[in-house]
Amino acid sequence: DSERLQREYQNLVNGLVDQGLLEASANEAGFASNVLNPDVINEAVPGNIRRAEHFISFMKKIVEHLKTRLLTVAGPRGGVISETPLAFLHRMITTTSLEAKPLKFAYSRLSSLLRTLQVPNLDDYNALTDVADFASLVATYSEGLPKFAIIMEPNGSSIPGASDPVIQLACLDASLAIAPLFKRFGSVIITSGTLSPIDLYPKLLQFEPRVSESFNMSTFRPCIRPLVITRGSDQLPVSTKFDDRGDMGVVRNYGSMLVELCSSIPDGVVAFFTSYSYMESIISEWDGMGILRQLTKSKLVFIETKDVVETTLALDNFRRACDSGRGAVFLSVARGKVSEGINFDRHYGRAVIMFGVPFQYTLSHILRARLEYLQTNYQIREQDFLNFDALRQASQCVGRVIRSKIDYGLMIFADSRYNRHDKRTKLPGWIQNFLGDGQLNLSTDTAIAQVKHFLRVMAQPVDQNKLKEVLLSLEEVEAMNPPTQMIEAP
């Protein structure tokens, strides 16, 4: 049995290495898995799930139990239920007569079994893998302070009227994900352009920094121009606050603002909205107002969707439109695919427009559980976290526009709330350094004048001498890190 388990384990590790998902030796495989107790990674699988047929029967009981819970939640006496892992585990054990310890090994045992069977397409078993992963995490973190919450909702579908009950395992403690890094390495460096405010991260990730520094951007010219637009051309305030977002005056002003900006800015423009639902509703209203027709006179329009393939195709065509000189505008969503990992350098992103402040959906049961956890255990106030998270997302979006020393672009914050001191001071320092008083509380008309002036200045040839002042030569880099001299001992 010991040799067979070792072979199964080795097959699992080799399969991960073959797929490029693991670049470590066999004894480091546990580091690449989910955050699990060391016992689960190092101990042998319990005997009652070691045989494949016993393990399949074991998994059937788990699946049947989860089905029963979903039917209960969706039933006439159901509703939203929130439980701790301990309460959920106790009910599962009582109902199914399973033991807690084998549940911890469900994920690793399933992975081992699939490797042993040499399943050609592991994607076919993603749903079963999720169930095993869920069971392992619930059993592992059932003791002590609850760091997860199980949220059961009768309708998790985005389609109105559709019945789609869901069970969600929500991690409340972000430090769990980074704890293995701190445990394994003596020195860990966390760097980002959006770590602001920097003093909140040690609380969230539960560590004490030895060094904490915030650096300015080294530039040879004012290559970014942040603008806070609080009013439309008709001087009416613009905002995506819940009370204002449906106002036709706000919708019209946002549309006119986008049309005027796209008429004045060459090449690529990216616009971010606070959610998919808001983007869809405002685009529908713009279509009825004829704003989209006006927009297509200056640029082609591309829209991000929840479908990864559609969005990838739209991005490719967006770049082609920019390369051809036609110009394009990409309408996307904060927290979506485009806001996280896509760069709009050079002519692909001469401006980023952030329509609204991208707060999370505050009625989300998962968010409510996380906020309560942060307040109770780390004394982080609800509003502080919501502001921090929203401004970090906004910075992530507008940061797509600048990618090199010679790049330049506009960062447009289109919401009256960005004019408030408590909001804009949470933006990263490298953005605040370029945000003067003359760029605050602007109307669309005054912002357009600043846009045109900025683009005229940036269109001038790059001063190569000034550029060299902010770049290190090869000799300077070598001087900072001199080669180690080898001295042979006598």
Side-chain angles (χ1 to χ4, degrees):
D1 282 351
S2 176
E3 291 179 1
R4 182 183 174 189
L5 283 172
Q6 187 60 39
R7 284 198 307 270
E8 290 183 2
Y9 175 75
Q10 194 59 49
N11 287 337
L12 170 63
V13 174
N14 291 340
L16 291 173
V17 172
D18 291 341
Q19 293 185 37
L21 301 176
L22 186 66
E23 297 180 2
S25 59
N27 58 7
E28 293 176 330
F31 181 66
S33 64
N34 280 309
V35 187
L36 293 175
N37 192 297
D39 293 341
V40 179
I41 297 171
N42 299 323
E43 281 190 13
V45 175
N48 57 348
I49 60 170
R50 201 168 290 175
R51 291 180 64 87
E53 56 267 30
H54 294 164
F55 178 66
I56 296 300
S57 176
F58 174 84
M59 288 299 298
K60 280 183 178 179
K61 288 185 178 182
I62 297 176
V63 172
E64 289 302 321
H65 176 74
L66 295 179
K67 284 182 178 179
T68 303
R69 295 301 306 267
L70 287 171
L71 290 173
T72 303
V73 169
R77 296 186 179 181
V80 178
I81 301 173
S82 178
E83 292 183 0
T84 64
L86 181 61
F88 190 91
L89 180 66
H90 176 73
R91 185 163 180 170
M92 178 187 286
I93 292 172
T94 304
T95 305
T96 62
S97 301
L98 296 174
E99 297 178 12
K101 186 174 182 179
L103 286 168
K104 295 181 180 181
F105 293 84
Y107 180 79
S108 57
R109 181 66 186 95
L110 177 61
S111 300
S112 174
L113 179 61
L114 293 175
R115 286 294 168 194
T116 302
L117 297 174
Q118 296 183 348
V119 174
N121 190 1
L122 293 176
D123 291 342
D124 294 340
Y125 294 89
N126 280 345
L128 189 60
T129 303
D130 289 342
V131 170
D133 196 12
F134 175 84
S136 294
L137 288 170
V138 168
T140 302
Y141 291 100
S142 59
E143 299 175 359
L145 181 69
K147 297 188 176 184
F148 286 83
I150 290 98
I151 311 291
M152 290 167 277
E153 298 184 65
N155 189 9
S157 174
S158 58
I159 303 173
S163 178
D164 185 21
V166 293
I167 299 177
Q168 301 172 84
L169 180 67
C171 180
L172 308 179
D173 189 353
S175 66
L176 287 176
I178 202 169
L181 279 173
F182 292 147
K183 195 172 294 185
R184 174 173 286 266
F185 300 106
S187 299
V188 177
I189 302 174
I190 302 175
T191 64
S192 175
T194 54
L195 291 178
S196 179
I198 201 168
D199 58 340
L200 193 56
Y201 282 88
K203 282 186 179 180
L204 291 173
L205 301 180
Q206 288 301 288
F207 71 95
E208 292 191 12
R210 294 291 181 265
V211 178
S212 181
E213 290 289 343
S214 180
F215 299 101
N216 294 325
M217 184 192 292
S218 56
T219 61
F220 68 98
R221 59 178 182 173
C223 58
I224 64 172
R225 177 65 62 90
L227 301 172
V228 177
I229 301 180
T230 61
R231 293 162 286 130
S233 298
D234 57 4
Q235 303 305 311
L236 289 177
V238 290
S239 176
T240 61
K241 288 189 296 185
F242 185 77
D243 295 336
D244 298 339
R245 63 175 54 185
D247 188 301
M248 285 300 105
V250 173
V251 172
R252 185 174 55 254
N253 272 323
Y254 272 148
S256 301
M257 182 191 304
L258 184 60
V259 169
E260 291 187 49
L261 287 169
C262 287
S263 300
S264 305
I265 300 169
D267 300 318
V269 174
V270 186
F272 286 99
F273 297 85
T274 54
S275 67
Y276 282 104
S277 59
Y278 180 61
M279 180 177 72
E280 290 165 3
S281 66
I282 200 170
I283 288 175
S284 177
E285 295 292 347
W286 285 349
D287 187 36
M289 295 176 178
I291 288 173
L292 290 183
R293 286 193 297 275
Q294 296 178 47
L295 193 57
T296 54
K297 292 178 182 178
S298 55
K299 297 195 186 300
L300 296 180
V301 180
F302 298 92
I303 302 174
E304 177 185 4
T305 69
K306 295 179 182 179
D307 187 291
V308 176
V309 176
E310 287 181 356
T311 300
T312 303
L313 183 61
L315 279 168
D316 289 341
N317 288 323
F318 169 83
R319 290 193 173 96
R320 288 174 60 192
C322 294
D323 290 337
S324 69
R326 174 66 172 84
V329 57
F330 200 96
L331 308 181
S332 49
V333 176
R335 306 178 197 276
K337 177 191 175 186
V338 172
S339 68
E340 293 296 333
I342 307 298
N343 294 332
F344 293 93
D345 57 329
R346 301 177 290 120
H347 62 294
Y348 298 126
R350 286 304 177 209
V352 172
I353 308 165
M354 184 70 242
F355 287 113
V357 183
F359 286 106
Q360 292 190 56
Y361 179 54
T362 53
L363 297 181
S364 162
H365 298 288
I366 292 177
L367 177 62
R368 302 310 309 174
R370 187 170 290 130
L371 291 173
E372 183 179 346
Y373 178 86
L374 293 174
Q375 172 71 48
T376 303
N377 297 289
Y378 302 144
Q379 289 73 54
I380 297 176
R381 294 187 304 171
E382 176 180 314
Q383 200 57 45
D384 288 344
F385 178 79
L386 290 174
N387 281 328
F388 150 77
D389 180 70
L391 272 297
R392 180 175 62 86
Q393 287 295 332
S395 304
Q396 188 86 17
C397 292
V398 299
R400 306 292 97 197
V401 80
I402 186 81
R403 294 286 121 183
S404 69
K405 296 290 186 186
I406 60 173
D407 207 355
Y408 64 90
L410 294 143
M411 300 177 175
I412 298 170
F413 299 92
D415 193 300
S416 57
R417 289 172 289 180
Y418 287 112
N419 203 53
R420 289 166 46 179
H421 184 267
D422 66 319
K423 292 287 188 296
R424 67 174 185 268
T425 52
K426 289 182 173 59
L427 292 169
W430 60 272
I431 294 179
Q432 292 187 53
N433 290 340
F434 293 93
L435 186 59
D437 292 339
Q439 290 140 257
L440 300 173
N441 198 25
L442 303 176
S443 66
T444 301
D445 295 340
T446 52
I448 292 296
Q450 292 206 29
V451 165
K452 292 178 177 178
H453 177 264
F454 172 78
L455 292 173
R456 278 197 300 270
V457 172
M458 290 298 104
Q460 306 308 310
V462 172
D463 189 327
Q464 295 297 327
N465 292 325
K466 288 186 176 180
L467 176 59
K468 289 178 181 177
E469 292 176 5
V470 296
L471 296 175
L472 294 175
S473 65
L474 179 60
E475 292 77 15
E476 290 172 322
V477 173
E478 291 175 343
M480 293 170 64
N481 188 24
T484 304
Q485 294 184 353
M486 301 296 292
I487 302 176
E488 186 176 352

